[in-house]
Amino acid sequence: MNELRAAAEDWLTQDPDPATRAELRALLDADDEPALADRFATRLEFGTAGLRGELGAGPNRMNRVTVLRAAAGLTTRLLTETPTFDSPAPGANGSGAIDSGTSGAGSSGGAGRPLGVVIGFDARHGSERFALDTAAVVTGAGLRAWVMPRPLPTPVLAFAVRHLGAAAGVMVTASHNPPRDNGYKVYWGDGAQILAPLDAEISAAIDAVGRVDALPLGGPGDWTVLDDGIVDAYLEALDALAGLPVDGPGDLSVVYTPMHGVGLDVFLRAFERAGFPAPAVVAEQAEPDPDFPTVAFPNPEEPGAMDLALALAARRDADLVIANDPDADRCAVAVPTSEGWRTLTGDEVGGLLGEHVLRHTHGDDRLAVTTIVSSSLLGRVAEAYGVRFAESLTGFKWIMKARTSPGDRQVFGYEEALGYSVGGDDGVPVRDKDGIGAALAVAALAAEAKRDGRTLLDLLDDQARRFGLHATGALSVRVEDRALITDAMARLRRSPPTALGGRTVTHVDDLALGSDTLPPTDGLRLHLSGADGRARVVIRPSGTEPKLKCYLEVVLPANDDLAAVRSRATASLDAIRTDLAKALRLS
C-alpha cells in the first residue's frame, strides 16, 4: 500500500486536471487500496491500436497525464524521423490547403520545414482537451501541429494525414466503446495506423518520459486550427469513389443514424454532393452525446442498437437503413424483407461493395483486400474480375499494408466487423475504414438496384448463384483468466479436432508460424470438407478483451432454391459451432 500511495501522491503533484485530482485525493483519503491498485499497479499499454481505456486517474486510465506522456513519446520518436512522403512538405493554411509556411524548430523535412502532426477528436468526454494537450506537447517539442476545427469522424483525420503531408496523425476516440472510455489512435505519414516495430518504439519513448509538468508546452497561438476546408477536401476525394455520380433513381429513401456520434454533418454533406435525397435522420440519436443515452453500447453490431433506426424506416417505408458508429469509421446496413427489416452482416456488405467497386473501376493493377477472418467470397469475386487479391491479418492496420506486388493499387478493403475502405480508379482516398465513404457506396449500389427494379437482397442472391453461398458465423467465449485462453490454444495445437459439425478437418494452419504472405500471429485455421461443400474455422485470442474468438464459414453450391441452401448453411454453422464449443473446453 505504501508504494501505491507514493505513486498516487506523485501523480497528484503533476496532474493538471482538477477532476482527476479530486478523484485520486478521495481514494487516498479513504485508503481504498483495491481502487488504487486498479489504477496504479499496472498501466494502459501502448500498441498498434494506440491507447484505449476507462477515463479516470492513474496510469491505468485515460486522463491528461496519460495523454501528455503519450504525446511526448510520440514526438520523441518523430524527432528521429526523416520524411520520405510523396506529398508536399508539411505546411497548411486554415483551409487545409498546402502552403509553404514554416514554424518552430526541431527535426525538419527539408527546406527547414518541421515535421507535423495532425490531431483530430470526437465528442467523447475529454476528447477535445486531450487533443489540445497533444498539440501543446507537439509544438513545445518544435514540431508543427494542425488541430481539427471541431469533433469530426475518424476517416477525416486519416485522410488529412496524407492531404497535409503530416508525419503522423492522432485521433482521440474510443470509437464504439462504452461512454466511460476514451482512446488515442496513432497514424503514420502514409495515412495508415501504425504497426510493429513503431508501436514498441513509441511505447519505449513513453516509458522514458519524466514528469509531465516539466514538459515544454506550446500555447494556442503555436498550432494551426484548421477550418472546414479540410472537410471540403475529404468530401471532394469521396466524389471519385466507384459508382459516383449516382447512376440510378433519385428517390432512394434512406434512414440514417450517427448513433450519438460525430457523423451527421459530414454524412449529410456527402449525400447531397452525390445527388441523393436527404435521408431521414433518427432524431433521438442525431446530435453528439458522450453518454449515448438511447443505446446500451454505441455499436451498430450490438443487439438493439439500431432499433430506433429500424422503427423509423418501417414507418417511412424506406429502402435502406445506414448507421455509423460514434466516430463514423464503421458502417452498418439494413434492408426491408417480407418479414421485417434485416441487418446485413459485415461479410454480406463486404461482398456487395467489393463487386460494386470492381465493376466500376479499371486496370490490371487493382487490388482488393480482406482479412483471414472475413469471408472468402471477395477472393472469388476478385478472380472473376481479373483483380489482384490479398488476405491480411485482422484489422485495418494490416489491410492497408497488404500487397501482392509493388505495383498494387488498392481499390477496396474490408473486414467483417463493419469496416470498409472504398476507392475508385485513383485508389482508396482513406487508408483506414471509412463509414462515410462506405455509406455513399452502399447507397449508390442500392440506387442502381432500384433503377433496375431490384434490391440488395437480389444482388446477394446473384452472388450466391455465381460464386456459391458463403455463409459466415461466429463463436466468442469470454473468460475470467486469460491463461485459460493460452491453455486452450496450446491444447488445440497439440490435438486439433478431426471433425466438426459432421465435416472432416482436412488441414490445420498454425498461423503462429507465419507464411509467405502473412506475418506470424496467434491463431489456427481449420479447413473442413463435407459432401455438400467446404467450411473453414479461424480461432484466435482477442487482442483487446479476455475472449477467444472463432470465425466460421460454410460455402455451399447454390441453385434456384436459395432458401433451402441458406437453411442448410445455417444448420451446418450451428453444428460446427456446437462441436467447436465442446472442443474448446472453456465453458
Side-chain angles (χ1 to χ4, degrees), residues 301-578:
E301 287 186 293
E302 291 290 333
M306 291 178 62
D307 283 357
L308 289 173
L310 298 178
L312 177 59
R315 293 195 301 271
R316 296 180 66 91
D317 195 24
D319 299 310
L320 191 66
V321 169
I322 296 176
N324 287 139
D325 65 341
D327 69 328
D329 65 348
R330 287 173 171 82
C331 178
V333 178
V335 294
T337 75
S338 59
E339 299 175 351
W341 281 80
R342 179 165 88 83
T343 301
L344 303 185
T345 69
D347 283 319
E348 288 175 326
V349 175
L352 290 176
L353 286 185
E355 184 163 11
H356 173 73
V357 170
L358 300 189
R359 185 160 46 85
H360 285 282
T361 54
H362 310 84
D364 295 337
D365 59 344
R366 288 173 295 166
L367 174 69
V369 182
T370 192
T371 69
I372 58 172
V373 303
S374 301
S375 171
S376 60
L377 172 61
L378 184 62
R380 295 287 309 277
V381 173
E383 180 182 16
Y385 282 83
V387 172
R388 302 171 186 179
F389 170 73
E391 282 188 320
S392 76
L393 298 185
T394 306
F396 262 80
K397 57 184 176 288
W398 294 108
I399 288 174
M400 287 301 155
K401 304 294 186 181
R403 293 290 183 273
T404 63
S405 67
D408 287 344
R409 171 172 51 98
Q410 188 172 148
V411 295
F412 181 69
Y414 99 92
E415 62 181 355
E416 46 77 38
L418 307 186
Y420 316 92
S421 181
V422 179
D425 276 328
D426 294 331
V428 293
V430 177
R431 301 198 71 221
D432 196 10
K433 51 187 173 290
D434 178 1
I436 305 293
L440 283 178
V442 167
L445 180 57
E448 286 183 4
K450 186 174 183 180
R451 173 201 63 195
D452 299 333
R454 313 190 76 224
T455 69
L456 295 186
L457 293 177
D458 293 325
L459 300 185
L460 287 173
D461 287 349
D462 289 347
Q463 286 190 325
R465 293 188 182 98
R466 282 181 291 142
F467 305 115
L469 178 67
H470 291 63
T472 57
L475 170 65
S476 181
V477 182
R478 179 181 289 274
V479 298
E480 295 296 325
D481 183 358
R482 284 184 181 270
L484 294 174
I485 292 177
T486 302
D487 292 344
M489 292 299 296
R491 185 170 61 251
L492 289 170
R493 284 188 168 95
R494 288 193 308 269
S495 181
T498 58
L500 292 171
R503 296 175 181 271
T504 302
V505 177
T506 58
H507 184 67
V508 178
D509 299 325
D510 187 348
L511 301 177
L513 302 177
S515 68
D516 293 341
T517 58
L518 293 173
T521 188
D522 187 9
L524 294 169
R525 180 165 50 191
L526 284 61
H527 302 271
L528 298 84
S529 68
D532 60 345
R534 59 184 173 87
R536 185 198 66 189
V537 173
V538 179
I539 306 168
R540 71 175 187 93
S542 169
T544 57
E545 301 174 275
K547 285 183 178 180
L548 191 62
K549 303 182 78 171
C550 308
Y551 305 82
L552 322 178
E553 181 180 42
V554 172
V555 182
L556 303 181
N559 52 39
D560 289 338
D561 191 357
L562 281 174
V565 176
R566 286 197 167 93
S567 179
R568 291 202 309 273
T570 299
S572 185
L573 287 172
D574 289 343
I576 292 172
R577 188 182 293 109
T578 297

Side-chain angles (χ1 to χ4, degrees), residues 16-63:
D17 189 335
T20 47
R21 287 202 309 270
E23 172 195 337
L24 193 51
R25 174 49 62 193
L27 295 177
L28 286 166
D29 291 346
D31 285 327
D32 192 338
E33 183 174 357
L36 290 172
D38 185 39
R39 289 160 174 77
F40 286 91
T42 186
R43 66 177 178 86
L44 296 179
E45 295 288 338
F46 185 93
T48 55
L51 294 166
R52 191 174 292 188
E54 186 177 347
L55 291 161
N60 197 35
R61 295 288 190 274
M62 285 295 298
N63 51 64

Side-chain angles (χ1 to χ4, degrees), residues 105-327:
S107 177
S108 65
R113 294 184 176 91
L115 297 164
V117 180
V118 58
I119 304 159
F121 55 98
D122 66 9
R124 283 179 176 267
H125 294 295
S127 287
E128 183 173 9
R129 180 67 264 170
F130 294 162
L132 296 178
D133 283 343
T134 299
V137 173
V138 167
T139 53
L143 280 67
R144 185 163 190 175
W146 301 271
V147 179
M148 289 290 173
R150 64 182 189 280
L152 285 168
T154 291
V156 177
L157 180 280
F159 166 82
V161 174
R162 286 197 299 166
H163 179 72
L164 298 176
V170 170
M171 182 67 192
V172 183
T173 180
S175 191
H176 53 269
N177 275 39
R180 64 180 181 274
D181 289 359
N182 213 326
Y184 200 81
K185 190 175 184 180
V186 176
Y187 296 80
W188 217 237
D190 60 356
Q193 298 175 50
I194 59 171
L195 283 176
L198 265 175
D199 60 332
E201 294 167 359
I202 296 171
S203 182
I206 293 171
D207 290 342
V209 174
R211 293 177 61 89
V212 299
D213 54 357
L215 291 171
L217 300 178
D222 296 322
W223 57 80
T224 299
V225 178
L226 298 165
D227 64 22
D228 245 29
I230 193 63
V231 180
D232 293 337
Y234 164 77
L235 292 171
E236 184 177 349
L238 296 189
D239 290 344
L241 295 186
L244 296 178
V246 180
D247 180 18
D251 62 346
L252 185 74
S253 175
V254 176
V255 166
Y256 172 69
T257 175
M259 209 154 287
H260 298 295
V262 297
L264 179 61
D265 173 65
V266 180
F267 182 96
L268 293 178
R269 290 172 63 182
F271 256 49
E272 182 179 15
R273 288 176 69 103
F276 293 112
V281 178
V282 177
E284 300 93 328
Q285 299 175 336
E287 296 303 318
D289 187 331
D291 293 319
F292 309 111
T294 68
V295 291
F297 293 96
N299 180 353
E301 287 186 293
E302 291 290 333
M306 291 178 62
D307 283 357
L308 289 173
L310 298 178
L312 177 59
R315 293 195 301 271
R316 296 180 66 91
D317 195 24
D319 299 310
L320 191 66
V321 169
I322 296 176
N324 287 139
D325 65 341
D327 69 328

Side-chain angles (χ1 to χ4, degrees), residues 86-101:
D86 294 332
S87 50
N93 59 37
S95 69
I98 299 296
D99 71 20
S100 58

